[in-house]
Amino acid sequence: LNRFDLSTSFRFGHQIGMMATNLLAHNTQMKKEDDDEKGMQSVIGKGADTEFAFAQYDKTGKALLSEIKQWGNRVGTLTNAAVLVRLYSDMVPIQLALMHRKVPYQLHGDSPLFENRQIRMLMAYIGVMAGGFDDASVFYNRDDISYLMTVPSLGIAPNQRKIINQRAIDSPHLIPQMLESMADEANGWRAKKLLERADWLRSLTLYSKQPDKGIINTLDKLGIYRYFENTSSKDIQYNEKVATCESFIAYVAGVKLDALSLLNELKGLAGLDQSRNKNAHKDGLHLMSLHKAKGLEFDLVIMAGLKEGQFPYYETNNTDLTLLEAERRLFYVGITRAKQRLVLLTKPDKAETKRLDQADRAINTKKVSDLSRFIFESQPVLCQKVLSRQVEQKPVALEVK
């Protein structure tokens, strides 16, 4: 039985082929059953030249909109363009930016943004800041009021939970009193927590002009992240919940609206959430995870969420080489989906730019880079330099580490 390695691709050009080869050189074992990776320790790109670029702006939303505007002006459509992420929490700022500019998109493999439990929970607390106890119509969705009683859990017996939640939804102005009544019937630590929740909810209107600070202090005061940690079966589930909250907080801080205006803005954006209608915008920008992108190809590929710790994603107490190599193969999948243009939606700082310029792949540096190690391993800048020297009559020697 003879094995023939198919290491040549006509999908992409030399830039991507060289990056893929550099990347896979760091893997000591390959998954033989994966067709996309089989036999590709050395990758040759024989397609048309594939452009490569980093983001031009620091903020994810601004960088994304700039890139797709240029692409749209160039080809006239976003039909064959995709944004790929490792974690779906990285889609939060991307979807919000696209909604703001009314850019058509289609989301693959995830629930719509405004059905996300963490975002709806945060909007419930913003509703309280906006005066929802006096006028329940300000809440994004009246059913969200139940989050005020359930996140974190109040330890309510299952047979009573539905009744209490419905009472809160029907009469939100009575929630602080309800919590105090429950505290009277409890004792010790649980009674203290119930009273703290009642007092905190009453005070939230103080943050009506600064909802981002209100959210941050609510997460801390009520121990919501600890609750996520205790109720998540895997670390990645906990980290995704936290990352989703952090992305939403960054958005709230960026728009600089008071709580009521913010909720009205979010209600308007929800009406533009095209992922709710599976038949709408079939010609829009594709949004998907790297796992979903396997076997696909796009003229333009934009990869987002490229920070060390997020991609590669790894548990702090797990140094399993097999898991790291699986993450590296996902990065390989991402960069090799691109036919005409590949954009890494991150902007290296001066130190990172210097390391990339010198093709420094070391990860044990004094200052751990924010950039994913896979970017340094794939050596995109070095690949560009090598390719540029193909047309030089007397190419200058390259200096690398």
Side-chain angles (χ1 to χ4, degrees):
L1 179 64
N2 294 323
R3 174 182 169 184
F4 297 92
D5 293 340
L6 303 177
S7 59
T8 301
S9 174
F10 292 91
R11 175 190 302 144
F12 46 77
H14 293 311
Q15 169 85 27
I16 303 302
M18 293 174 68
M19 289 174 62
T21 298
N22 293 336
L23 181 74
L24 293 182
H26 292 267
N27 270 11
T28 59
Q29 54 189 350
M30 297 294 291
K31 289 175 63 180
K32 300 297 188 295
E33 69 274 15
D34 195 321
D35 289 338
D36 256 344
E37 300 147 10
K38 190 183 296 181
M40 286 201 176
Q41 287 284 8
S42 178
V43 184
I44 302 172
K46 284 196 173 181
D49 290 342
T50 305
E51 302 169 3
F52 170 83
F54 284 109
Q56 297 300 305
Y57 300 97
D58 291 323
K59 291 187 177 180
T60 299
K62 186 175 182 181
L64 172 69
L65 292 171
S66 173
E67 187 62 41
I68 61 175
K69 181 180 179 181
Q70 292 178 42
W71 182 258
N73 290 339
R74 176 172 159 183
V75 303
T77 179
L78 296 176
T79 303
N80 209 10
V83 179
L84 308 180
V85 297
R86 170 63 180 88
L87 302 172
Y88 268 112
S89 55
D90 293 318
M91 283 295 189
V92 174
I94 288 169
Q95 289 187 74
L96 287 168
L98 294 174
M99 289 178 198
H100 264 289
R101 292 297 179 89
K102 299 182 181 180
V103 176
Y105 68 87
Q106 43 189 316
L107 179 66
H108 303 270
D110 194 25
S111 59
L113 180 69
F114 288 101
E115 291 180 12
N116 181 277
R117 291 175 60 84
Q118 286 73 55
I119 290 177
R120 292 285 286 272
M121 172 203 70
L122 295 179
M123 289 197 291
Y125 283 105
I126 294 172
V128 179
M129 299 177 212
F133 283 169
D134 295 324
D135 179 6
S137 68
V138 306
F139 285 101
Y140 169 79
N141 185 309
R142 190 146 183 158
D143 288 343
D144 292 349
I145 294 170
S146 64
Y147 284 113
L148 305 176
M149 308 295 287
T150 57
V151 182
S153 172
L154 293 173
I156 303 171
N159 61 335
Q160 292 293 314
R161 191 177 301 142
K162 187 174 181 179
I163 297 173
I164 291 174
N165 286 347
Q166 190 58 53
R167 190 181 303 164
I169 292 170
D170 293 338
S171 305
H173 64 286
L174 296 179
I175 289 178
Q177 293 95 312
M178 290 170 58
L179 291 168
E180 289 168 344
S181 296
M182 293 165 64
D184 290 339
E185 298 174 3
N187 51 49
W189 178 86
R190 183 166 176 266
K192 179 182 177 182
K193 289 297 179 183
L194 288 164
L195 291 174
E196 287 179 351
R197 178 87 62 98
D199 289 341
W200 183 251
L201 289 174
R202 282 197 179 98
S203 70
L204 272 180
T205 52
L206 297 174
Y207 295 97
S208 63
K209 301 297 184 183
Q210 295 178 301
D212 55 322
K213 290 187 177 180
I215 294 174
I216 292 170
N217 289 338
T218 296
L219 292 168
D220 178 59
K221 181 71 175 180
L222 302 184
I224 291 177
Y225 284 172
R226 289 195 303 274
Y227 170 75
F228 287 162
E229 186 175 14
N230 294 333
T231 56
S232 299
S233 58
K234 297 180 180 179
D235 281 356
I236 192 169
Q237 294 174 344
Y238 162 71
N239 290 330
E240 273 280 74
K241 292 174 184 178
V242 171
T244 297
C245 291
E246 295 297 313
S247 293
F248 186 72
I249 292 169
Y251 164 77
V252 173
V255 295
K256 294 181 171 57
L257 295 173
D258 62 73
L260 182 57
S261 298
L262 174 61
L263 284 175
N264 288 333
E265 177 81 3
L266 292 170
K267 290 175 184 178
L269 290 180
L272 302 173
D273 189 352
Q274 302 137 6
S275 57
R276 292 182 168 192
N277 185 352
K278 297 186 182 299
N279 296 318
H281 301 292
K282 291 297 184 182
D283 295 332
L285 180 69
H286 297 270
L287 309 182
M288 66 182 70
S289 71
L290 286 156
H291 287 95
K292 284 283 182 182
K294 287 186 177 183
L296 302 178
E297 61 183 26
F298 303 93
D299 289 339
L300 168 66
V301 168
I302 301 173
M303 291 178 63
L306 301 174
K307 289 187 177 182
E308 185 70 16
Q310 290 177 266
F311 194 19
Y313 173 80
Y314 49 81
E315 314 291 359
T316 54
N317 59 349
N318 193 331
T319 57
D320 189 339
L321 180 62
T322 302
L323 295 178
L324 178 61
E325 295 198 354
E327 292 286 291
R328 187 175 285 116
R329 288 193 294 270
L330 272 181
F331 191 87
Y332 162 83
V333 167
I335 64 176
T336 57
R337 298 311 92 192
K339 295 169 63 178
Q340 297 182 26
R341 183 172 174 82
L342 170 67
V343 179
L344 300 186
L345 207 64
T346 185
K347 187 179 181 183
D349 62 23
K350 290 183 178 180
E352 293 162 345
T353 299
K354 183 178 180 181
R355 287 185 58 198
L356 287 166
D357 192 59
Q358 296 179 343
D360 180 4
R361 294 170 292 177
I363 60 171
N364 295 322
T365 56
K366 293 181 180 179
K367 176 183 179 296
V368 177
S369 173
D370 285 336
L371 288 185
S372 167
R373 69 180 71 189
F374 298 151
I375 296 176
F376 294 105
E377 290 177 357
S378 62
Q379 301 181 27
V381 177
L382 175 62
C383 294
Q384 287 179 320
K385 289 180 178 180
V386 170
L387 291 174
S388 69
R389 277 158 174 73
Q390 290 186 116
V391 296
E392 294 179 4
Q393 293 182 349
K394 295 182 179 180
V396 179
L398 293 174
E399 179 183 349
V400 299
K401 284 192 175 184

